[in-house]
């Protein structure tokens, strides 16, 4: 399982920042992380094992559909709408606006090309090259093509100095935890982050045959992560099903894959930011559309149909 900032918490974080200000997010995450550590130490994670497989498959399919609907807009250099229904209704206009002069159609071709490369690589990849993920190949070829053809499409944005993005928690900010509204927000963040993490862990366990997740250890580890997020002014973290499923589909077999995920991210941002800034956003959206489609597992639903 790969962890990171999750869509499930985006709405809650937005509301917290809108009501209480950005400075309050750090103390809330610090307390939420401590609550997660305590929940893990008290062996509360095992309660999530009572979740029925149908719930997990439904969650995966729902997330997959929402990813496809939102990233289809991004694939044509547009922006995702506030809800899945809005994304569905607004897609024809996004598609129409991409036709004709402008970068929308160019971006769409890059995104669709990335999906095609990933699909072909999954079908016809030589055994000797199983270690090369289709997503890496698709994004690499799309980036090369966009640079060779000098396409004016949206590209990844990276801060010039990572240190500027760090907002250290100030001791004075901790006084805000005396406010009952802040305490409630911290409990909400802890509960939703824990639920999303452990449902994601249960789903990832069903995607592979390797070692199963220890839910209590996972809760404590996520708590440590959120304490650190609070200290540096970052967004809250959870286990993320999209990145995790992409990780499994790429052939990951151990937890070292998740650790290397973080190390590669850090190395690219610190040392190779110019490479990241060459990547077309539409190509990354293509990866997410392909991953979202694979999350909708029709075989699982046919199997669940036997139970009514």
């Amino acid at each position: 399982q790969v962890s990171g900032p999750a869509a499930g918490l985006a709405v809650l974080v937005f509301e917290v920042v809108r009501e209480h200000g950005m400075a309050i997010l750090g103390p809330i995450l610090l307390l939420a992380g401590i609550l997660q550590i305590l929940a893990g130490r008290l062996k509360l994670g095992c309660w999530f094992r009572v979740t029925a497989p149908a719930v997990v498959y439904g969650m995966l399919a729902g997330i997959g559909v929402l990813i496809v609907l939102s990233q289809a807009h991004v694939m044509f250099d547009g922006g995702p709408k506030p809800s899945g229904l809005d994304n569905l209704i607004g897609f024809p206009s996004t598609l129409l606006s991409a036709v004709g002069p402008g970068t929308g159609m160019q971006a769409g071709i890059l995104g669709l090309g990335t999906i095609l490369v990933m699909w072909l690589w999954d079908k016809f990849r030589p055994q000797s090259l199983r270690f090369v993920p289709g997503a890496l190949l698709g994004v690499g070829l799309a980036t090369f093509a966009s640079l060779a053809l000098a396409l004016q499409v949206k590209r990844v944005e990276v801060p010039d100095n990572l240190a500027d993005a760090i907002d250290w928690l100030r001791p004075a900010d901790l006084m805000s935890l005396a406010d009952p509204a802040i305490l409630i927000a911290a409990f909400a963040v802890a509960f939703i982050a824990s639920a999303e993490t452990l449902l994601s862990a249960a789903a990832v366990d069903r995607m592979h045959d390797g070692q199963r997740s220890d839910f209590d250890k996972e809760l404590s580890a996520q708590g440590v992560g959120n304490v650190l997020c609070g200290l540096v002014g970052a967004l809250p973290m959870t286990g993320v099903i999209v990145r995790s499923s992409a990780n499994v589909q790429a052939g990951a077999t151990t937890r070292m894959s998740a650790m290397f995920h973080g190390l590669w991210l850090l190395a690219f941002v610190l040392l190779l930011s110019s490479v990241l800034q060459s990547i077309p956003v539409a190509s990354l959206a293509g990866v997410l559309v392909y991953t979202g489609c694979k999350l909708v597992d029709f075989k699982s639903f046919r199997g669940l149909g036997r139970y009514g």
Side-chain angles (χ1 to χ4, degrees):
Q1 173 169 258
V2 176
S3 297
L9 282 173
V11 176
L12 180 60
V13 169
F14 175 79
E15 285 298 318
V16 167
V17 171
R18 187 177 63 82
E19 289 183 22
H20 306 289
M22 194 69 190
I24 302 303
L25 188 58
I28 287 176
L29 293 192
L30 183 68
L31 180 55
I34 292 172
L35 290 172
Q36 285 183 297
I37 294 171
L38 290 174
R41 301 302 295 172
L42 294 173
K43 308 289 186 183
L44 299 181
C46 60
W47 286 98
F48 283 85
R49 289 202 180 276
V50 303
T51 305
V55 174
V56 176
Y57 291 132
M59 180 195 75
L60 289 176
I63 290 174
V65 170
L66 291 175
I67 288 169
V68 172
L69 291 176
S70 65
Q71 295 304 309
H73 291 270
V74 180
M75 206 163 65
F76 289 92
D77 267 1
K81 311 299 181 187
S83 71
L85 188 59
D86 289 335
N87 280 317
L88 181 62
I89 295 171
F91 183 67
S93 62
T94 297
L95 203 56
L96 285 173
S97 64
V99 176
T103 62
M105 187 51 67
Q106 295 176 354
I109 292 172
L110 290 175
L112 292 171
T114 302
I115 293 173
L116 180 62
V117 169
M118 292 178 68
W119 182 78
L120 291 172
W121 192 246
D122 277 350
K123 293 289 183 183
F124 306 109
R125 173 165 39 184
Q127 192 63 36
S128 59
L129 295 176
R130 297 295 297 176
F131 66 93
V132 179
L136 180 62
L137 187 64
V139 172
L141 289 174
T143 302
F144 178 79
S146 69
L147 293 174
L149 299 173
L151 301 180
Q152 299 301 310
V153 294
K154 291 182 181 178
R155 300 184 188 273
V156 173
E157 295 181 6
V158 180
D160 294 329
N161 185 359
L162 191 61
D164 293 340
I166 296 176
D167 183 17
W168 292 102
L169 179 68
R170 292 171 288 275
D173 295 336
L174 295 175
M175 301 301 295
S176 61
L177 292 175
D179 184 346
I182 302 299
L183 291 176
I184 292 172
F187 273 97
V189 169
F191 180 79
I192 295 174
S194 300
E196 186 162 354
T197 290
L198 297 184
L199 284 174
S200 172
V204 174
D205 280 350
R206 289 183 171 86
M207 294 179 182
H208 64 85
D209 301 321
Q211 188 176 358
R212 306 293 91 179
S213 299
D214 181 331
F215 281 13
D216 297 317
K217 186 181 290 186
E218 188 70 46
L219 260 185
S220 296
Q222 293 285 334
V224 172
N226 275 320
V227 166
L228 295 174
C229 288
L231 290 176
V232 299
L235 292 170
M237 60 175 276
T238 74
V240 186
I241 191 62
V242 183
R243 270 161 277 183
S244 301
S245 59
N247 193 34
V248 174
Q249 290 168 23
T253 56
T254 72
R255 294 191 175 107
M256 288 299 293
S257 60
M259 296 174 67
F260 273 105
H261 169 92
L263 290 173
W264 280 120
L265 273 175
L266 186 62
F268 267 94
V269 172
L270 290 178
L271 305 174
L272 298 169
S273 61
S274 59
V275 175
L276 290 182
Q277 292 177 59
S278 301
I279 298 174
V281 173
S283 179
L284 296 181
V287 173
L288 288 178
V289 168
Y290 186 79
T291 302
C293 289
K294 296 192 79 170
L295 287 178
V296 185
D297 189 352
F298 290 105
K299 291 180 182 177
S300 298
F301 284 104
R302 282 197 291 269
L304 292 169
R306 295 198 305 268
Y307 302 101

